[in-house]
Amino acid sequence: MQRSLISLAVMALLGLSAGAPTLVAAAPAAKVTQVTTQLPRTAVPTHYAVSLTPDAANSSFSASVTIALDVKQATSSLTLNAADLKFSAAAISAGPGKSQQASKTDIDADKQTVTFHFADTLKPGSYQLKLDYTGVIGTQASGLFSLDYDNGGAKKRALYTQFENSDARRMIPSWDEPFYKATFAVEATVPAGQMAVSNMPATSTTRLADGRELVRFATTPKMSTYLLFFGLGEFERATAMEQGVELGVITQKGSLGQAQFALDSSRNVLKEYNDYFGVKYPLPKLDNIAAPGRSQFFSAMENWGAIFTFENSILLDPRVATQSDKEGSFLVAAHEMAHQWFGDLVTMAWWDDLWLNEGFASWMESRTTTRLHPEWNWELRAVGTREGAMEQDALATTHPIVQRIATVEQASQAFDNITYSKGESVIRMLENYVGEEGWRAGVRSYIAKHAYGNTVSDDLWREVEKAAHKPVTAIAHDFTLQPGVPLIRVADAVCKNGKTTIQLTQGEFSKDKENKKPLSWRVPVIAQTIGGTTVRTVVSGGKASMTLPGCGVVLVNAGQSGYYRTLYTDKAFSALAKDFATIPTIDQLGLLSDSWALGMAGLMPASSFLDLANSAPVDAAPQVWQKIAGVLAGLHDSYEGKPEQRAALDRFARARLAPVFARIGWAAAKDEAAPVANLRDTLIRVLGEVGDESVIAEARRRYAASASDPSAMPAALRRPVLSVIAASADAATWDQMRAAAKAEQSNMIKAQMYDLLGSASDKAQAQRALDLALTDEPGATAGASIIGHVAGNHPDLAFDFAISHRDQIDKIVDGASRSRYFPGLGGRSADPAMIGKLQAYARQYLPADAQGDTKQAIAAIEYRIKVRTKRLPQIDAWLKQHAG
């Protein structure tokens, strides 16, 4: 599953509350006899034959399912997962003449289960359970749901499913847990002329007497319930054959022209993955279904053979698509297609090991992007990915990568930066430690050995160790079974006889526990003198010594593959700052990131980052300037309520960033590098935020001119220009932008424009955006996003509004997001009063096992307050000395 682009900005606030039942043992798969389950262990399904009749107009469906199952121990009842389903018939058969109706049906809405009781005891053996039932079609992305949209001025409705993590039970009564794999045969009775889509190709379409059509799909391989998919609507499909697989992209009618890049990307990624995994993609087709609307929880889902993606994450409309959109489209393809192996073919046994899906898909997306699009310099993004994880992982409310999951709510909250970004970063470090070839051989062995089965993390470590002949399990356990961020302290270097010796000490980096007793890790470390040969070691037992060839300035975590912070002495850091321009770009990013985080935590002078930013050359890599601009924008926000200090910071920001922007200009140069295009977008937004008058004036000129001259705002400039306009919008401008949003025909562009209405700095316009979010005007899935954008500038206003309209908000946020949506709004605050508000919200509305996001949000607020009171004075002093 690809995390929602909407929620990425607040992912660092989200955490997990732990506590759980039986765990899968860290043992060979053949010895695992018991896995976590919330269902009785009396029966196991082997096949589902599903017959579905959706009634989109009335938001309901009727269905029947025949489940082939094996009863493992005698029982007089069967308990399955079911949610919001009503049963009209239930019978079980052991063969001809051996059928009995259920004597009683008990539904437990809280546990999301249904229990069928039988008068005659079911002895061990094979049975067929036949169920007839009805259910509801929702308006948010969980279970079977509808999305309404405009198409050429006509109102349309399409149906889709979203089952991860625990929502297949909303359409099919089932053993809705990842370990209970089975095959599925789906058929659906649908309106004629609409396209029905599922995991497998349709095998037949039969016209019925009433004019409808019965569509039957081929039987799936053995798979988990959460990977099943069904879609229905007025769709178009573009296809291409690649290595015997029919690849497709499915869109609403009229949007197929925006799908070519996604289709081409899928072809290239399939070839790459067939080779990398050593196991060919096993299904006959692989569709990517692009849907209007959005979710606060996710942007794409890896249903086997039928990836679901919100269209804003994969389609490229030439009127508005940017380089960043192109990169995002490719990443979605790379991420979700990686899941076809890591997650679909081989699936974690229980949600504790969700990272085996998401961390690996994230790592594969980055690796594949680097290989197939070297012009994007994607390897440099690894530092940002690591930073996103460490932001959460350095708070006391963090959790291990492998975590204990007890409930549906906890499983939903597990889709966070620890699972995705720390998972990816740790994999990158381990691959670097054992070697690329050994790692790949281990992955290939793991996939082949466990195909169509379920695993735990140790199954992977075992195969990697065998293939790479290097002890990786102990290191992997240190980084996956315990939380937190190692801190490597580097003593001053000693040069003797043409060699440099350094002493390393391992501690722990914490943002909110200054005197925390550090945990212990075995930490792979790579170091070098600048320009010299790299040397490797593993810091074990808390200490290590390294001898490097040559004498010179020492760089630790060279190449930035390690998941740890590096703390130098003042002398060593000053030497690195002096030679900053000569350091490889990825290490410049690492040094910037460490200096900022360590400075804000009080382990270095808070101004250390500014020393580096002040010495960065104008022609430094675009990624370096994006990092600098992002931190300066964050500092601008931190000075809220302090106009004099903010003005000083903004003067420095303009002085540093304006020359960089002048160098690249408003218009793209011929054959311009992709990272430069992304930097231009960032600089326009940030310079607008810090009050660069020339940028603001030019943005306003282009916005005004665009009414009669579309070329004034080409696709690459449209969103950054509109962002500047929206941020400073008065009532008249806000009204003008709203009118443009209402008139827009493209659902994707319309959603972007409504988001902009929530970006106003002016509180009165922000309140208008909040009021608008609860109306029907933006669309059923757009309101929650608007409120989220308001929270960017006005978190307290947005949170208070959402709480006071909680019943309405619950209807526009998909179920998997609710326990994290409200903390995500308030978690951006720096007001101590918000802590009490969040605690009151959690006490009143959340069970204890669903409060992890709230605790994480509170920790983030407390840290933000600490930064503003303890660190900003050091920034003030630096600015007075260096920036006038």
Side-chain angles (χ1 to χ4, degrees):
M1 182 186 288
Q2 189 86 12
R3 294 170 295 176
S4 172
L5 297 178
I6 301 165
S7 65
L8 283 176
V10 297
M11 269 306 222
L13 301 178
L14 307 180
L16 182 81
S17 176
T22 308
L23 281 177
V24 180
K31 297 181 181 179
V32 175
T33 59
Q34 194 173 30
V35 296
T36 305
T37 181
Q38 296 172 336
L39 296 171
R41 303 179 187 274
T42 52
V44 176
T46 59
H47 178 72
Y48 296 82
V50 183
S51 182
L52 176 69
T53 304
D55 183 354
N58 293 304
S59 298
S60 64
F61 67 89
S62 59
S64 66
V65 61
T66 300
I67 307 173
L69 58 92
D70 294 329
V71 172
K72 297 297 185 180
Q73 60 190 62
T75 180
S76 60
S77 66
L78 291 173
T79 300
L80 291 71
N81 291 115
D84 298 327
L85 301 180
K86 295 180 179 179
F87 294 89
S88 57
I92 195 163
S93 170
K98 298 180 180 180
S99 177
Q100 61 171 316
Q101 300 292 320
S103 59
K104 183 182 178 184
T105 300
D106 289 331
I107 294 177
D108 189 324
D110 291 335
K111 292 183 179 180
Q112 298 184 344
T113 60
V114 59
T115 300
F116 301 104
H117 300 270
F118 301 97
D120 297 334
T121 299
L122 306 176
K123 298 178 181 179
S126 298
Y127 293 83
Q128 300 274 327
L129 178 64
K130 174 71 162 56
L131 306 173
D132 296 329
Y133 58 98
T134 59
V136 296
I137 298 175
T139 59
Q140 302 298 322
S142 59
L144 178 61
F145 67 98
S146 64
L147 290 173
D148 294 340
Y149 61 98
D150 291 325
N151 187 288
K155 298 291 184 181
K156 302 292 182 181
R157 173 169 291 182
L159 303 182
Y160 308 93
T161 57
Q162 169 57 25
F163 291 160
E164 190 177 29
N165 51 338
S166 307
D167 285 319
R169 63 194 66 178
R170 298 185 182 279
M171 194 181 90
I172 304 173
S174 55
W175 280 260
D176 193 18
E177 298 178 358
F179 186 77
Y180 290 106
K181 286 192 169 186
T183 56
F184 295 81
V186 177
E187 66 176 30
T189 301
V190 302
Q194 294 194 12
M195 183 186 295
V197 188
S198 191
N199 306 75
M200 298 291 283
T203 57
S204 68
T205 300
T206 305
R207 190 66 174 251
L208 303 179
D210 61 5
R212 295 181 297 172
E213 294 178 339
L214 176 63
V215 182
R216 289 190 172 94
F217 298 94
T219 300
T220 72
K222 188 179 176 184
M223 68 183 195
S224 302
T225 50
Y226 77 89
L227 297 170
L228 190 65
F229 177 79
F230 176 77
L232 176 67
E234 296 183 17
F235 302 150
E236 293 181 302
R237 183 171 184 252
T239 63
M241 292 299 297
E242 188 60 56
Q243 297 189 350
V245 177
E246 184 178 78
L247 297 170
V249 178
I250 297 172
T251 72
Q252 59 173 285
K253 286 188 174 180
S255 297
L256 205 58
Q258 301 173 20
Q260 190 61 48
F261 179 76
L263 187 60
D264 292 342
S265 297
S266 296
R267 297 183 67 175
N268 293 330
V269 171
L270 183 71
K271 288 187 289 186
E272 176 70 16
Y273 287 174
N274 276 340
D275 175 67
Y276 186 85
F277 290 118
V279 174
K280 299 293 186 183
Y281 174 76
L283 277 64
K285 66 97 175 174
L286 176 55
D287 280 318
N288 203 317
I289 299 95
R294 57 180 57 186
S295 164
Q296 303 303 301
F297 186 56
F298 75 106
S299 62
M301 173 61 204
E302 65 267 20
N303 312 298
W304 212 0
I307 297 167
F308 172 90
T309 310
F310 287 104
E311 62 185 14
N312 63 307
S313 295
I314 194 167
L315 301 185
L316 299 180
D317 187 330
R319 293 174 295 167
V320 298
T322 64
Q323 172 61 29
S324 180
D325 292 327
K326 189 175 183 180
E327 294 167 357
S329 177
F330 184 86
L331 288 173
V332 166
H335 184 99
E336 302 307 330
M337 290 178 70
H339 275 309
Q340 307 298 297
W341 286 263
F342 255 104
D344 297 3
L345 181 62
V346 181
T347 312
M348 77 265 146
W350 182 248
W351 301 105
D352 297 3
D353 282 292
L354 175 64
W355 88 291
L356 280 175
N357 287 11
E358 302 301 347
F360 274 84
S362 297
W363 170 72
M364 281 299 294
E365 87 179 40
S366 295
R367 176 193 179 279
T368 304
T369 303
T370 297
R371 281 180 58 82
L372 300 185
H373 285 286
E375 73 279 11
W376 295 351
N377 300 134
W378 205 258
E379 66 279 4
L380 299 178
R381 299 291 184 104
V383 177
T385 298
R386 186 183 68 197
E387 292 305 297
M390 288 182 175
E391 279 296 302
Q392 179 177 341
D393 207 19
L395 292 170
T397 49
T398 188
H399 63 81
I401 289 177
V402 178
Q403 54 192 305
R404 285 159 166 69
I405 302 296
T407 66
V408 169
E409 289 81 7
Q410 286 184 346
S412 296
Q413 293 183 356
F415 292 83
D416 67 356
N417 266 340
I418 301 301
T419 295
Y420 285 78
S421 298
K422 183 176 182 180
E424 174 183 346
S425 299
V426 168
I427 291 167
R428 182 172 180 263
M429 177 178 69
L430 294 176
E431 183 206 28
N432 191 282
Y433 171 69
V434 305
E436 183 178 340
E437 292 303 316
W439 181 266
R440 182 173 66 174
V443 169
R444 285 178 167 181
S445 178
Y446 167 83
I447 292 291
K449 185 173 182 179
H450 298 285
Y452 304 102
N454 298 83
T455 61
V456 295
S457 296
D458 273 11
D459 293 320
L460 176 65
W461 308 141
R462 189 176 300 109
E463 298 308 313
V464 171
E465 282 200 344
K466 288 179 183 176
H469 306 292
K470 206 164 185 178
V472 70
T473 300
I475 296 173
H477 281 178
D478 287 350
F479 281 89
T480 61
L481 300 183
Q482 63 183 3
V485 181
L487 174 69
I488 298 296
R489 297 177 181 268
V490 185
D492 280 328
V494 176
C495 181
K496 187 176 181 181
N497 299 325
K499 295 182 179 180
T500 299
T501 301
I502 54 173
Q503 304 298 324
L504 307 178
T505 306
Q506 181 251 300
E508 182 174 352
F509 173 68
S510 174
K511 299 199 299 185
D512 55 356
K513 293 285 186 180
E514 293 183 5
N515 298 312
K516 182 181 186 299
K517 181 180 178 180
L519 297 173
S520 178
W521 290 267
R522 279 153 282 208
V523 185
V525 171
I526 303 173
Q528 66 180 137
T529 56
I530 294 179
T533 304
T534 57
V535 175
R536 297 167 180 260
T537 193
V538 175
V539 177
S540 183
K543 294 182 178 180
S545 177
M546 298 184 76
T547 299
L548 314 175
C551 290
V553 178
V554 172
L555 179 67
V556 173
N557 203 5
Q560 303 302 309
S561 64
Y563 186 81
Y564 56 86
R565 294 255 179 241
T566 305
L567 178 60
Y568 298 95
T569 64
D570 291 343
K571 176 183 176 183
F573 180 80
S574 296
L576 283 166
K578 182 179 179 182
D579 288 348
F580 184 76
T582 67
I583 298 172
T585 300
I586 196 166
D587 293 313
Q588 290 179 336
L589 291 168
L591 196 60
L592 285 165
S593 297
D594 278 341
S595 66
W596 174 247
L598 293 166
M600 291 301 101
L603 296 172
M604 292 179 69
S607 58
S608 298
F609 176 90
L610 297 181
D611 288 330
L612 296 178
N614 205 32
S615 63
V618 173
D619 61 354
Q623 294 86 349
V624 168
W625 280 112
Q626 279 197 285
K627 174 65 178 180
I628 293 171
V631 171
L632 294 178
L635 274 173
H636 172 89
D637 293 341
S638 296
Y639 278 113
E640 181 183 9
K642 298 183 176 182
E644 290 186 12
Q645 293 93 330
R646 174 179 274 185
L649 182 278
D650 288 353
R651 284 194 297 272
F652 174 73
R654 294 193 298 269
R656 286 270 64 202
L657 300 180
V660 180
F661 184 58
R663 184 171 178 268
I664 64 175
W666 283 86
K670 184 180 179 181
D671 300 325
E672 180 177 82
V676 175
N678 292 330
L679 176 60
R680 177 180 294 106
D681 184 306
T682 298
L683 290 177
I684 291 171
R685 295 171 192 258
V686 175
L687 284 168
E689 188 174 354
V690 299
D692 186 289
E693 293 182 359
S694 64
V695 167
I696 295 172
E698 179 63 8
R700 288 173 174 167
R701 184 195 70 77
R702 288 176 177 271
Y703 176 66
S706 67
S708 57
D709 178 14
S711 67
M713 280 202 305
L717 295 179
R718 185 177 184 279
R719 259 178 279 170
V721 167
L722 289 178
S723 295
V724 172
I725 301 302
S728 60
D730 56 16
T733 303
W734 196 91
D735 285 338
Q736 186 179 9
M737 297 185 75
R738 178 184 179 183
K742 290 176 68 175
E744 177 57 50
Q745 293 297 304
S746 163
N747 296 279
M748 185 162 55
I749 299 175
K750 181 187 288 286
Q752 294 172 0
M753 296 178 73
Y754 275 113
D755 282 347
L756 287 168
L757 294 175
S759 303
S761 299
D762 180 70
K763 192 172 182 179
Q765 310 317 314
Q767 182 62 56
R768 295 177 70 191
L770 292 173
D771 295 335
L772 177 63
L774 296 185
T775 69
D776 293 334
E777 182 184 317
T781 63
S785 178
I786 295 173
I787 298 170
H789 279 75
V790 172
N793 290 316
H794 310 280
D796 303 272
L797 178 68
F799 179 83
D800 292 346
F801 177 86
I803 290 294
S804 64
H805 297 84
R806 192 182 65 85
D807 290 342
Q808 291 171 271
I809 299 295
D810 280 348
K811 295 177 182 178
I812 62 173
V813 176
D814 43 308
S817 302
R818 288 174 188 160
S819 66
R820 63 175 26 172
Y821 180 76
F822 292 91
L825 300 175
R828 308 188 203 188
S829 175
D831 185 350
M834 180 56 70
I835 295 173
K837 293 179 183 180
L838 285 167
Q839 291 170 335
Y841 157 76
R843 283 194 303 268
Q844 185 172 358
Y845 299 117
L846 298 178
D849 58 26
Q851 295 183 14
D853 289 334
T854 304
K855 293 175 182 178
Q856 194 79 14
I858 290 171
I861 293 169
E862 291 173 338
Y863 181 67
R864 193 172 295 113
I865 293 170
K866 176 182 175 181
V867 164
R868 294 188 182 192
T869 55
K870 292 188 175 182
R871 309 299 175 224
L872 290 189
Q874 296 180 43
I875 301 293
D876 295 338
W878 189 95
L879 289 170
K880 286 181 180 178
Q881 180 180 354
H882 294 84

